[in-house]
Amino acid sequence: MSRIKTPASAREPAPPPRAAEQPARRVIKKYPNRRLYDTESSAYVTLAQVRDLVMSRAPFVVRDAKTGEDLTRSILLQIILEAESLGAPMFTEAVLAHLIRFYGHAMQGFMGAYLEKNIQAFMEVQAKLAEQSQGLTPELWAQFMSMQSPMMQTVMGNYLEQSKRMFLQLQEQMTRQTEQMLGVFGVGKR
């Protein structure tokens, strides 16, 4: 990739000093021609390279070069769209339709938190499994997974049951909070 320099006025000012535990977020600027410019490496980058930043857990933000507006979510959605278009998609049409139906619904805010907590729980299970499998050769791993199929089904079944319970608890909590809020306004149960 060629390194293209930009005028000093287009570069981000030096960030203020931060605590050692928080690395500075890399700034990527999106220009009107849809090109992405990484201010840290002083080079244009592709969507695939931004995906690599996500995969390496590097903190970054994507900003509109002209307005400074945060475009990070938009770029992340673009990466998901591109990944869904290739190979085996993660989301079925039914799942996507359900997600769309939650927009504008009273449960929209809760659904986002619910999905985030479930993905985090799934990642923790995955990390534990990876930790336990360290040192296995690919052949031993294949044997382990074939023997673990019923166990994995049980683990996933338990995970889904836990997820369902969490959703029901969330729903009950929302109902109680709504009743309390309506009670404050003098609207009671009928």
Side-chain angles (χ1 to χ4, degrees):
M1 172 179 298
S2 64
R3 290 167 108 37
I4 299 173
K5 299 288 182 189
T6 60
S9 61
R11 292 193 194 119
E12 279 295 305
R18 294 180 181 229
E21 66 272 6
Q22 286 186 340
R25 287 185 1 168
R26 185 178 211 145
V27 176
I28 298 172
K29 292 186 176 185
K30 183 175 183 188
Y31 285 91
N33 62 3
R34 298 193 291 190
R35 292 192 72 185
L36 300 168
Y37 184 80
D38 183 347
T39 59
E40 186 174 295
S41 66
S42 297
Y44 286 102
V45 293
T46 64
L47 208 54
Q49 289 168 311
V50 175
R51 180 189 177 278
D52 291 342
L53 291 175
V54 172
M55 298 305 288
S56 66
R57 293 174 171 32
F60 69 91
V61 62
V62 179
R63 297 216 178 269
D64 183 281
K66 197 173 199 175
T67 67
E69 178 186 358
D70 187 344
L71 302 174
T72 309
R73 285 177 33 80
S74 173
I75 294 298
L76 293 173
L77 285 168
Q78 240 182 301
I79 292 168
I80 290 171
L81 180 61
E82 195 171 278
E84 284 289 305
S85 301
L86 305 170
M90 188 182 304
F91 301 109
T92 64
E93 288 178 22
V95 168
L96 292 170
H98 288 307
L99 286 172
I100 290 167
R101 289 183 193 111
F102 273 102
Y103 286 94
H105 189 276
M107 293 290 287
Q108 179 178 342
F110 290 102
M111 184 53 131
Y114 172 76
L115 288 173
E116 189 170 345
K117 286 178 183 177
N118 271 282
I119 289 172
Q120 184 61 42
F122 187 80
M123 288 175 63
E124 288 169 9
V125 167
Q126 185 182 27
K128 285 179 186 175
L129 210 103
E131 183 181 304
Q132 292 171 353
S133 69
Q134 283 182 344
L136 289 180
T137 64
E139 296 80 21
L140 286 174
W141 178 248
Q143 288 176 353
F144 173 75
M145 289 308 288
S146 67
M147 292 185 304
Q148 299 302 317
S149 184
M151 184 187 88
M152 289 303 286
Q153 289 174 358
T154 302
V155 167
M156 288 308 291
N158 291 341
Y159 170 76
L160 291 173
E161 190 59 40
Q162 177 185 358
S163 178
K164 181 180 174 183
R165 280 194 307 272
M166 188 170 72
F167 183 76
L168 291 173
Q169 289 172 348
L170 187 65
Q171 192 175 22
E172 289 170 10
Q173 179 184 4
M174 189 175 88
T175 301
R176 282 193 306 274
Q177 288 174 345
T178 302
E179 288 172 353
Q180 289 173 352
M181 185 178 70
L182 291 175
V184 168
F185 294 111
V187 180
K189 287 185 185 178
R190 295 179 194 235

